[in-house]
Amino acid sequence: MRFIALLLCLFLPFATLAQTSDQPTGTIAIQDDAASDAAIANRIRDILRELEGYEDISVTVSSGIVTLRGTTLDMASATRLTELVGRVEGVVAIENEVFETTDVARRLNPAVERFKSRGYQFVAFLPLAMIALAVFFAVVLFGFFIARRKQPWDRMSPNAFIADIYRQIVRLFFIVAGLVIALDIVGATALLSGILGAAGIVGLAIGFAVRDTVENFIASIMLSIRQPFRPNDTVEIEGDTGKVIRLTSRATILLSFDGNHIRIPNATVFKSRIVNFSRNAERRFTFALSVASDADLDQARHMAEDTLNALPFVLDSPEVSVWIQSVDDFWVTLNMAAWINQNDTSIVLARSEAIRLTQAAFDAAGIAAPLPSYRIENLPGAPTPAQEPGPGAQRQDTAAPAPVQDVEATAEKELEKIVDQERAELSRRDLLNVNATEE
């Protein structure tokens, strides 16, 4: 018995707290009569009649203790009854015996009523929504009309690519402006921050996913503004040499001297070392030839200079230059350099003719580099080999060389025609402009 009494002492405070945690607080009045109980019951019934969802609730009051019985649509409504009734003056305690209803028809009726109410609201809202939609399309169409005009975008931009970017910015601006105005008409401007935030997150994710494409796009903008080359320029990019056909929004297209198309991403072009051979008309070619080790090197140098200066395609300025490159085992190597106008002369043919005629001059003077020779010492008793001419022996006179051949830049001009033809077919896709600022 003592053990049971001890357990009651331990758990009685918690049970009392559970019963009274949501009960009215305050001093209980001494006077208690049926009239006050009836007044409390009537007050509670009046309140419940004004509230939706408490039609099935019965109220009884005895000595200030309110007993609630019945069903509600959900337990949240039943729980709220205790708080509501506890605010009525004179209530001592509350016995909440209200449960959640299981009647299917009664539970579906509020949902049907909500759908009807929303349908009526939508019908009432539809004219205002149509006005907002019409204003949105009017603003967007006006923005697209401005963006389609050639001026002032073509005058403001260095090329068609930048003009298209301006137009896209104008279209985006008017779309956002139309959206803001439409949302303001329907009173839903609070949605704009959420829409813009979601668009920013999606744009960031797409930016990471297409990082290379975005890099090429930005490089295209920079290359189109500060153009390092022009159409038909001969350039070398990342080891690829050819004539520039066009610059697109993604890549630079070259035509190699073999007739092949070379497509280089603009991001690579923008970061690479670019050699433009066509920026200056004058272009130098070099080659190396060898003379005999016992030859008069000053004579050989002047002979090479005179030969190069006599060529009709070699320019007088800058001057021809010849210098000793190296001294080897059997000969001395000379380096020669001359300048041509590459707009009229093929550098490949000019170099070929210069080598041919300079070598012919060395042969005629007998100072050309001999074939390598070696001395062989015979063992005793071995036959003596026939005597060969030494390294410095003079060669037999050779026939006069053929006259200077035609070195006109015919192949280069044919390639230029191919480039011009391709540019004429797809000119709208080209970002190069002959009037753009040179880098």
Side-chain angles (χ1 to χ4, degrees), residues 179-307:
L179 183 62
V180 172
I181 295 173
L183 291 176
D184 186 63
I185 291 175
V186 299
T189 53
L191 294 176
L192 184 61
S193 60
I195 295 173
L196 294 179
I201 294 174
V202 173
L204 185 62
I206 295 175
F208 277 110
V210 294
R211 181 175 54 187
D212 293 340
T213 303
V214 174
E215 185 181 10
N216 276 330
F217 182 78
I218 296 175
S220 303
I221 296 176
M222 301 304 296
L223 288 174
S224 63
I225 295 175
R226 303 289 297 179
Q227 298 181 4
F229 39 73
R230 294 287 186 272
N232 257 319
D233 280 1
T234 301
V235 298
E236 179 185 347
I237 304 173
E238 285 288 301
D240 294 315
T241 303
K243 286 188 171 294
V244 177
I245 298 179
R246 71 177 65 90
L247 173 67
T248 68
S249 60
R250 292 181 296 274
T252 299
I253 312 300
L254 304 182
L255 179 65
S256 70
F257 290 100
D258 296 329
N260 300 319
H261 280 216
I262 304 174
R263 183 185 182 90
I264 307 175
N266 285 335
T268 302
V269 176
F270 186 71
K271 295 183 292 185
S272 298
R273 170 180 173 268
I274 302 175
V275 180
N276 192 331
F277 298 103
S278 301
R279 183 59 60 88
N280 298 320
E282 298 82 4
R283 186 173 176 183
R284 190 181 79 159
F285 66 87
T286 61
F287 61 94
L289 290 177
S290 299
V291 297
S293 57
D294 58 350
D296 187 342
L297 298 181
D298 185 64
Q299 176 190 0
R301 187 174 62 82
H302 283 90
M303 185 178 299
E305 290 178 353
D306 294 340
T307 303

Side-chain angles (χ1 to χ4, degrees), residues 125-199:
F125 178 75
L126 193 59
L128 186 62
M130 296 299 295
I131 294 174
L133 190 63
V135 171
F136 171 76
F137 280 110
V139 173
V140 171
L141 290 176
F142 179 69
F144 277 57
F145 170 74
I146 294 177
R148 280 198 302 268
R149 297 178 62 85
K150 290 187 176 182
Q151 303 299 337
W153 316 119
D154 291 346
R155 184 168 61 250
M156 293 170 55
S157 61
N159 53 60
F161 182 58
I162 304 299
D164 288 340
I165 293 177
Y166 290 159
R167 293 186 177 97
Q168 292 295 339
I169 294 174
V170 171
R171 293 188 183 100
L172 181 61
F173 172 78
F174 276 92
I175 290 174
V176 174
L179 183 62
V180 172
I181 295 173
L183 291 176
D184 186 63
I185 291 175
V186 299
T189 53
L191 294 176
L192 184 61
S193 60
I195 295 173
L196 294 179

